[in-house]
Amino acid sequence: MPPLGSGGATFGKGSGVRNGFNPRNAEDIFAEFFGSTPFGLGSSRPARSGRFQADGGKFGGFSSIENRKPPPVESKLPCTLEELYTGSTRKMKISRTVVNASGRQVHESEILTIDVKPGWKKGTKITFSDKGNELPNQLPADLVFIIDEKPHDFYKRDGNDLIVNQRVSLAEALVGTRINLVTLDGRDLSLPVTDVINPGYELVVSREGMPITKEPGNRGDLKIKFEVMFPTKLTPEQREELKRALVGVK
């Protein structure tokens, strides 16, 4: 605005300043802030500010140079059920390409430490930021390890529970037996079974399953599922003895 008391401003074709007011072209003002004009015309002034240069191209007419981050590089990390039960420390040696200070690509090796927590499940992800390969004008990718559970010969995992299939004879199913197990952390369990084991019978031992990561000190259950082995044949004497023993049994 012209100074107060100036009596207004008059504009001529020249570029001089009249009455203390300097008229400015709209394209020049826009170009000073954003580096270009949105009107498709060239600017008579060079851009003075670069504050919007990397703003993702919000305004047309200028380019943006922005380093992009590629998708993460994922790799499986196989773990035994024992490692996921007790926890473990894994050392992983990686080799990757990086860009040095002179802009050249070079190879480097590094050892990463992964602390596997007790109770981690298949699919758990461990992320190492910026540990992937690096290319010019591009940010390095993240390196992600995904927990994979190896099959176990005896135990099967079901969430936080452990499942064991146990075969017993018909006599053991009827008169009782004792189940001896070695836990995943090497302890000996001796479990008496006094109930009659019928088809579908399941013995649940509380807090002998997998550790629960979000509940330190707590564990799932151990579930023992029984399979009764029936004899393939009986002698006449055995049949008679069983008949006498089982008469009246409901």
Side-chain angles (χ1 to χ4, degrees):
M1 295 292 294
L4 293 176
S6 63
T10 58
F11 306 99
K13 295 183 179 179
S15 59
V17 178
R18 298 192 178 184
N19 297 325
F21 180 63
N22 183 14
R24 301 183 62 192
N25 185 283
E27 290 94 355
D28 289 354
I29 296 173
F30 195 96
E32 180 173 338
F33 281 94
F34 305 114
S36 66
T37 172
F39 309 107
L41 301 175
S43 172
S44 60
R45 298 175 181 266
R48 296 182 184 176
S49 173
R51 58 187 299 182
F52 298 97
Q53 287 295 318
D55 201 18
K58 291 184 179 179
F59 300 97
F62 69 92
S63 61
S64 170
I65 299 177
E66 181 180 2
N67 287 340
R68 297 184 180 273
K69 195 176 186 69
V73 179
E74 297 184 346
S75 179
K76 288 185 177 182
L77 181 64
C79 296
T80 65
L81 199 53
E82 286 85 354
E83 289 176 315
L84 298 176
Y85 186 89
T86 61
S88 65
T89 300
R90 303 285 293 272
K91 301 287 187 180
M92 306 294 295
K93 183 177 181 180
I94 64 170
S95 297
R96 64 192 188 110
T97 301
V98 298
V99 179
N100 61 17
S102 62
R104 298 182 59 185
Q105 289 182 275
V106 296
H107 295 283
E108 70 173 18
S109 297
E110 185 178 354
I111 295 179
L112 303 178
T113 300
I114 301 175
D115 291 321
V116 178
K117 304 299 183 183
W120 272 3
K121 297 178 181 179
K122 180 178 180 179
T124 300
K125 294 184 177 182
I126 309 99
T127 301
F128 291 89
S129 299
D130 301 334
K131 292 299 182 181
N133 290 328
E134 182 180 3
L135 299 176
N137 298 322
Q138 180 175 288
L139 295 173
D142 293 340
L143 188 58
V144 179
F145 290 96
I146 303 176
I147 296 295
D148 190 24
E149 183 181 300
K150 295 180 179 179
H152 195 273
D153 292 336
F154 190 67
Y155 289 97
K156 182 180 179 181
R157 184 176 186 174
D158 181 18
N160 294 320
D161 297 332
L162 288 173
I163 308 296
V164 169
N165 293 317
Q166 185 71 36
R167 302 179 71 183
V168 295
S169 66
L170 179 59
E172 291 173 323
L174 294 175
V175 303
T177 185
R178 181 175 290 272
I179 306 300
N180 297 308
L181 303 175
V182 178
T183 63
L184 291 171
D185 58 351
R187 293 176 291 114
D188 293 322
L189 284 184
S190 183
L191 306 171
V193 182
T194 57
D195 296 333
V196 174
I197 300 175
N198 49 48
Y201 180 82
E202 183 178 277
L203 177 63
V204 178
V205 185
S206 62
R207 296 175 59 85
E208 282 293 347
M210 294 294 295
I212 302 176
T213 305
K214 296 182 179 180
E215 301 176 20
N218 197 12
R219 297 179 184 272
D221 297 332
L222 170 63
K223 298 179 180 180
I224 303 175
K225 298 183 177 183
F226 289 89
E227 178 187 354
V228 179
M229 297 181 294
F230 284 81
T232 56
K233 61 182 179 178
L234 294 172
T235 65
E237 292 79 8
Q238 290 172 326
R239 292 176 184 273
E240 289 300 321
E241 290 178 6
L242 283 175
K243 185 183 295 184
R244 288 193 297 269
L246 297 177
V247 168
V249 176
K250 297 182 179 179

